[in-house]
Amino acid sequence: MTFVSTITLVFFVLLAVVAVAIGKMRSLFAAVMLSGIFSLLSASLFVLMDAVDVAFTEAAVGAGISTVLMLMVLHLTSDKETHSNEVKVFPLLIAVLCGAVLLYATQDMPHFGDPNAYIHQSATADHYLNQSYDDSHIPNIVTTVLASYRGFDTLGETTVVLTAAVAVMLLLGRPKEEEHDLSKSPDPIIEVGAKMLIPYILLFALYVQFHGDFGPGGGFQAGVMFAAAYILHALSGTVRSAQEAASENVVEKLIPLGVLLYAAVGVWCVLKGGNFLEYNALDPEHPAHGQHLGILLVELGVGITVFSAMLMIFYKFALRGREVR
Amino acid sequence: MNILLATSTTAMSGEGVYNYGLVIFLMMTGLYLVLAKGNMIKSVIGLNIFQVSVIMFYVSMGRVEHGTAPILLEQDLPHHDSEHGHDNHDDSEDHGLLQTRSDVALASTADGNHDADGGTDSDVHPQAHPEDTEANSPSLHTVDGRTAYSNPLPHVLMLTAIVVGVATTALALALVVRIREYYETIEEDIVDAIENRLQKEEAQS
C-alpha cells in the first residue's frame, strides 16, 4: 500500500466513525456540526482521489452553506430529538441486507485506481483527455466538459437550482409575524473579524469564477462562495445589513437572469448558424475562441444563478419569524 | 470481510475493492438514519450522508493510481498555433518543447516524456483515437509514457450533483419548517398522531 492509499483508508474510516456518531447523537446541534465535519472530511478525500473541483464544491457547499441552513432550521424548530435512541430492528435489517447485496456485487467491480478499468478506456474519456485542449484551448478538462461538451446537462442542472429556490420562496414566502433578526446585538469582535474577511472572500470568488478555465473552480463554486461572503456578513452583523448590500428585490431577479444568460448563449449560437450551445459557431474563424467566449458566459450565468439562489434561500430561512411558544 | 480478502488476493492492478465496501457502509448508515429516525432533521442529515457516499462512489471509480487531477499539465499541452485548426502539430517543434520542459522541471520523468512524444505523433488524427486505445490500452494512463490523469467525467457529473443536492436539501428543510409551524413538532409519529386525531374529530362532527 502506498502512502496516499493509506491516508485514503484513514479518511474513509474517519468518515464511517462520524456517520455512526451522527446516528448516535441525541442533540441535533451536535449532529449538524458533525455533518459539517463529515462534508469537510469527504472534501479532503476528494482531493486525495484527484477530484479537486468536486472537493472545492463539497467544501463550500457541504461544510459551508448546508451547515448554516441546518443551523437556521434548528433555530426555527427545536434542537433536541425527543425519542430515545434504541436500535430499530427492521430498518437495520433492511440496511444490512441491502449492504450485503451491494457488497456481493462489488466483486465484479474494477479495482480502486486500476488504470485498465473500462471507465478509463471508453472512447468518451479518451476524447476528453486528448481532444478537449484542441477543441477549446482550456487546460481544465472538467470545465470544458461541464460547460461545453455537456453544456445542455449543466443548463438543466442550473434550472433545477432555480426551481428549488422558487419552491423555497413559495414555502417560506412572507415573514410569519414581525420580522425577526437572527442576532440583535452583534458581537464586535466577530463583526470586525468578518469585515476583514469578506473582501478577500469576494476577491477569491471572482478569481475562482474567471480562473476556472485554468485551475479548479468555475461558476458553481464561485456562486456558492459569493453567497457565503454575504451570509457571513448577515451572520456577523444583522440580516438587515446584508440586505442593504444585496437587496432581496435584486437577488430575486438575478436567479432567473443567470439561467436566461445561459440559454441566451445557446440561442446566440443558433442565430450564428450552429447548434444550441455549439460555441464553435460564435467565432467561425477561430473555433477555440468561440469556445472560450461561450464557456466564460455560460459559467457566468451559472455563477449568477447559484449565488442568488443560495442567498435567497438563506434570506428566506433567516427572515422566517420564530413562533412564540 | 471474506469478499474483500478474496478479491485482494486475485488483484491484477489497483488496490483491491475496499473503497466500495466503505462507501457501501456509509451509504447504508445514511439509509438506516432515513428509515429509523422519526426526527425529520435527522432524516435529512441521513439523506445527505447517503448522497455524499454515492458521490464518493462515482469519484472513486474515476480515480487512477498515481494519477493527478484532470487539469492538463504544461508539458502535456500540444504546441499550438491558433491559426491552424485541429490536427496541425509540427512534430519537431513538439518534440523540442517536451524536451526542454522535461529538462527543466521533470528530470526524473524525462525518459517518459520522450516516449510520450512518440505517442502524440501517432495521435495526430482525431479519428484514429478510439481504435488506438483499444490496441494498446494502458498507454494513456500509465506513469511511464505519459502523465496519468483521473477520469474527468465522474467529477463533472458529481460537481453539479452537489450543488443540486444542496438546493433540494434547502427545499426539504423549508418543508420541515412549515411542518413545525403547523404541527409544532418535527417528529414523524407525533405528526401522524395529530393527523389521526384530526381525522377522527372530523368524522365525528
Side-chain angles (χ1 to χ4, degrees):
Chain A
M1 249 195 186
T2 60
F3 181 61
V4 173
S5 52
T6 313
I7 300 179
T8 312
L9 190 62
V10 169
F11 269 105
F12 261 124
V13 172
L14 274 176
L15 275 178
V17 171
V18 173
V20 172
I22 289 173
K24 291 250 177 228
M25 287 289 164
R26 284 201 62 190
S27 157
L28 289 177
F29 178 76
V32 168
M33 292 323 283
L34 278 178
S35 85
I37 292 172
F38 185 85
S39 285
L40 204 59
L41 280 174
S42 52
S44 326
L45 201 49
F46 290 143
V47 175
L48 284 174
M49 295 196 283
D50 302 325
V52 279
D53 284 272
V54 183
F56 211 150
T57 321
E58 179 65 36
V61 165
I65 304 267
S66 210
T67 310
V68 170
L69 286 183
M70 292 231 188
L71 287 179
M72 275 190 308
V73 172
L74 289 191
H75 174 78
L76 290 171
T77 57
S78 84
D79 60 355
K80 274 277 181 291
E81 210 178 351
T82 47
H83 290 285
S84 61
N85 242 326
E86 82 268 17
V87 177
K88 290 187 181 158
V89 181
F90 187 58
L92 188 68
L93 199 70
I94 291 182
V96 168
L97 266 177
C98 219
V101 170
L102 287 173
L103 210 57
Y104 175 71
T106 54
Q107 281 180 297
D108 276 349
M109 294 294 290
H111 286 230
F112 189 36
D114 182 1
N116 296 313
Y118 183 73
I119 179 175
H120 305 305
Q121 298 305 325
S122 66
T124 331
D126 186 53
H127 183 93
Y128 289 158
L129 283 171
N130 287 306
Q131 289 298 309
S132 67
Y133 191 81
D134 287 338
D135 286 345
S136 63
H137 292 205
I138 287 176
N140 187 354
I141 304 172
V142 173
T143 301
T144 322
V145 178
L146 181 92
S148 182
Y149 293 120
R150 298 186 62 87
F152 208 75
D153 187 26
T154 310
L155 175 61
E157 256 136 11
T158 317
T159 317
V160 173
V161 174
L162 164 80
T163 316
V166 169
V168 170
M169 285 163 74
L170 287 174
L171 279 170
L172 303 178
R174 85 205 126 76
K176 210 178 165 221
E177 281 142 34
E178 92 279 18
E179 283 186 3
H180 170 85
D181 231 332
L182 275 180
S183 45
K184 284 210 168 99
S185 52
D187 187 295
I189 295 175
I190 293 176
E191 210 181 357
V192 171
K195 262 186 188 154
M196 280 161 67
L197 274 177
I198 289 168
Y200 295 106
I201 297 177
L202 288 173
L203 194 65
F204 187 55
L206 277 175
Y207 170 79
V208 169
Q209 170 80 50
F210 294 109
H211 199 259
D213 296 2
F214 309 100
F220 282 103
Q221 293 94 329
V224 173
M225 290 178 65
F226 258 110
Y230 282 90
I231 289 174
L232 181 63
H233 188 38
L235 290 178
S236 61
T238 59
V239 179
R240 183 86 21 251
S241 60
Q243 278 186 319
E244 276 162 24
S247 89
E248 228 176 319
N249 264 332
V250 176
V251 176
E252 192 178 81
K253 274 148 198 124
L254 283 178
I255 307 175
L257 186 80
V259 179
L260 283 176
L261 175 63
Y262 199 135
V265 174
V267 174
W268 187 22
C269 295
V270 174
L271 292 178
K272 283 274 202 170
N275 286 321
F276 190 68
L277 293 174
E278 189 189 351
Y279 311 132
N280 285 356
L282 295 180
D283 194 346
E285 303 261 305
H286 311 278
H289 292 192
Q291 289 282 341
H292 254 301
L293 183 64
I295 289 172
L296 191 76
L297 289 175
V298 156
E299 289 271 15
L300 190 63
V302 170
I304 290 172
T305 292
V306 170
F307 156 69
S308 46
M310 292 299 145
L311 192 58
M312 184 47 91
I313 289 171
F314 170 81
Y315 280 163
K316 286 300 170 196
F317 277 106
L319 293 176
R320 191 76 187 170
R322 186 181 189 177
E323 60 188 307
V324 193
R325 266 183 287 179
Chain B
M1 267 344 248
N2 254 336
I3 298 164
L4 289 176
L5 286 176
T7 38
S8 59
T9 49
T10 58
M12 302 160 295
S13 54
E15 300 148 11
V17 290
Y18 69 90
N19 60 320
Y20 304 117
L22 288 157
V23 163
I24 288 167
F25 178 81
L26 291 179
M27 208 186 282
M28 288 309 120
T29 313
L31 183 68
Y32 174 78
L33 287 183
V34 174
L35 289 174
K37 295 293 170 183
N39 187 295
M40 290 171 191
I41 292 180
K42 264 287 178 67
S43 294
V44 172
I45 294 175
L47 214 55
N48 266 342
I49 293 177
F50 195 98
Q51 187 200 340
V52 170
S53 56
V54 171
I55 288 166
M56 201 160 288
F57 175 72
Y58 273 81
V59 169
S60 72
M61 280 181 54
R63 178 174 171 258
V64 173
E65 216 176 358
H66 309 300
T68 181
I71 298 169
L72 294 173
L73 300 174
E74 205 162 344
Q75 78 258 16
D76 287 335
L77 301 181
H79 184 74
H80 247 289
D81 248 328
S82 47
E83 297 291 336
H84 314 290
H86 280 213
D87 38 14
N88 223 335
H89 296 234
D90 192 328
D91 285 356
S92 59
E93 267 188 62
D94 217 356
H95 192 87
L97 181 84
L98 283 169
Q99 277 291 302
T100 45
R101 294 272 178 229
S102 49
D103 285 347
V104 177
L106 283 150
S108 58
T109 53
D111 285 5
N113 277 325
H114 203 86
D115 289 344
D117 200 26
T120 29
D121 288 348
S122 65
D123 287 349
V124 170
H125 296 290
Q127 292 84 3
H129 254 282
E131 297 90 325
D132 195 31
T133 3
E134 274 163 39
N136 44 4
S137 34
S139 71
L140 238 183
H141 299 282
T142 40
V143 194
D144 26 57
R146 273 178 159 188
T147 326
Y149 292 107
S150 288
N151 198 321
L153 188 55
H155 300 182
V156 174
L157 301 179
M158 292 309 109
L159 193 160
T160 48
I162 291 174
V163 179
V164 170
V166 74
T168 48
T169 302
L171 183 58
L173 291 174
L175 285 169
V176 171
V177 168
R178 288 305 297 263
I179 288 171
R180 158 82 185 190
E181 283 171 4
Y182 190 81
Y183 294 103
E184 304 200 328
T185 179
I186 49 168
E187 303 286 337
E188 273 164 19
D189 47 352
I190 301 178
V191 171
D192 266 354
I194 294 172
E195 268 300 300
N196 283 337
R197 207 187 62 218
L198 286 176
Q199 268 176 4
K200 265 182 203 161
E201 279 172 8
E202 218 169 87
Q204 277 169 3
S205 61

